[in-house]
Amino acid sequence: MTRSGWSKWPLVFGLAAAGCGPPPEPQPPPPEPAAVSVPVPPQPQDDPDAAPRLASSVCAGHAVDLPQAIASHKCAIDEEEADALRAELEKAAVQGEVGVVGAVEQVHETTSVAKIAIRNRTDRVMELPLLVHSEIDAFPASANHQSLLAPTVPWPDGFAFETGRMLRKIRLEPGGYARAQVTLSHYVLVPGKRVVCPPNAKCPTPMTAQLPLTRGTHAIELRTPLYATDPSLKAVLIVNVPGPCPQLTCPAGQQVIRGCPGGMRPPPDACPRQRCVPIGKTPPTCPRVP
């Protein structure tokens, strides 16, 4: 190779170093990233075996307040609907699908505080009719087959009985209940002398006497405003009535004082022991009870 031929190579190398050489071959495009699958949470499905739910209101739901439902005009129904619901209620009561339960919470000498509830024992929604009359107790109570003085019910403020019959309807979820808290009286009503009135005459209401229940255990039957006659729709409450304590009668010149407990403390509802001492004499002190 001649000298002139060698002199051309530096020019070729310089052009290659300056980037003026042949263009680079095209490269394939980068692969697209693989799609990532995101798990989709399962959509909630309606369970056909689940108990139906009701929108809670004064007349419907899982827990219904009986006095509030009775006082609300939103729960009112007519005679035709009430008669139809009553027929269904009588059947349900025979089959044990609806029941009434109660419990005593506090006991005093003349009154007891109790809770009573109507329970839906089925797996379906139940529609129950209620009947309240202006001249009949909404929660009738009796003991020893005798009517007690009307229980005290915590009615809403401003509530007033309508003249005659008041018909209401409540709807209870499966397992739901309608409850009320009432104050029972320990006084029995004894009918007075009845007056024979001529037709269309205005006669005075027979007077009734009130006698306290005797001290001891009594079974008080408490009913609800359910529009039905089935005898099972009631709660039987066992109440230990303290009752009025007997007063010891002392001879002339003596007075009654509390006696000594005899070394034992009596229960809170027991009547205290009594004894007679001469008037003006300092009664002896009782021995200390450990």
Side-chain angles (χ1 to χ4, degrees):
M1 181 178 293
T2 61
R3 183 177 179 86
S4 60
W6 283 105
S7 62
K8 296 179 181 179
W9 283 107
L11 178 61
V12 174
F13 291 147
L15 293 174
C20 300
E25 297 182 0
Q27 300 295 327
E32 296 182 359
V36 179
S37 60
V38 179
V40 179
Q43 298 297 324
Q45 303 291 331
D46 295 334
D47 185 1
D49 298 329
R53 305 287 295 180
L54 292 173
S56 297
S57 67
V58 69
C59 311
H62 184 77
V64 174
D65 188 287
L66 269 177
Q68 293 285 346
I70 294 171
S72 176
H73 291 281
K74 298 179 181 178
C75 310
I77 55 176
D78 56 22
E79 293 280 352
E80 183 178 358
E81 184 177 2
D83 291 340
L85 293 176
R86 179 183 180 181
E88 295 296 328
L89 174 57
E90 297 284 4
K91 297 177 183 178
V94 173
Q95 298 174 2
E97 297 179 343
V98 60
V100 177
V101 295
V104 178
E105 295 189 334
Q106 301 177 18
V107 179
H108 307 286
E109 182 177 331
T110 59
T111 60
S112 298
V113 179
K115 283 187 176 180
I116 188 168
I118 304 168
R119 286 199 171 274
N120 178 5
R121 296 172 176 169
T122 69
D123 56 358
R124 67 181 187 278
V125 175
M126 293 196 71
E127 296 184 340
L128 303 176
L130 305 176
L131 169 64
V132 177
H133 198 282
S134 58
E135 298 181 1
I136 300 176
D137 296 340
F139 294 84
S142 61
N144 306 321
H145 306 288
Q146 292 179 306
S147 298
L148 297 178
L149 192 65
T152 303
V153 182
W155 298 109
D157 294 338
F159 170 72
F161 280 96
E162 301 173 4
T163 302
R165 294 155 57 94
M166 298 171 55
L167 296 170
R168 300 290 188 261
K169 178 181 71 174
I170 56 175
R171 304 179 67 209
L172 298 181
E173 292 180 356
Y177 56 89
R179 64 183 177 184
Q181 178 175 290
V182 300
T183 301
L184 301 174
S185 173
H186 295 170
Y187 283 86
V188 177
L189 291 178
V190 180
K193 183 179 179 181
R194 298 191 175 275
V195 180
V196 179
C197 297
N200 301 325
K202 293 183 179 180
C203 297
T205 303
M207 299 298 293
T208 56
Q210 301 176 15
L211 300 178
L213 290 174
T214 58
R215 182 173 176 267
T217 303
H218 294 268
I220 297 180
E221 296 182 354
L222 181 61
R223 301 184 68 89
T224 68
L226 278 175
Y227 189 22
T229 58
D230 191 281
S232 66
L233 296 178
K234 63 183 177 183
V236 179
L237 310 175
I238 305 301
V239 180
N240 186 15
V241 179
C245 293
Q247 185 70 22
L248 180 64
T249 302
C250 296
Q254 295 189 6
Q255 63 180 350
V256 178
I257 65 170
R258 184 183 294 268
C260 296
M264 296 182 62
R265 286 192 177 94
D269 60 346
C271 293
R273 296 188 179 184
Q274 302 173 6
R275 56 180 173 165
C276 297
V277 297
I279 298 176
K281 180 181 178 180
T282 303
T285 59
C286 295
R288 182 180 178 183
V289 179

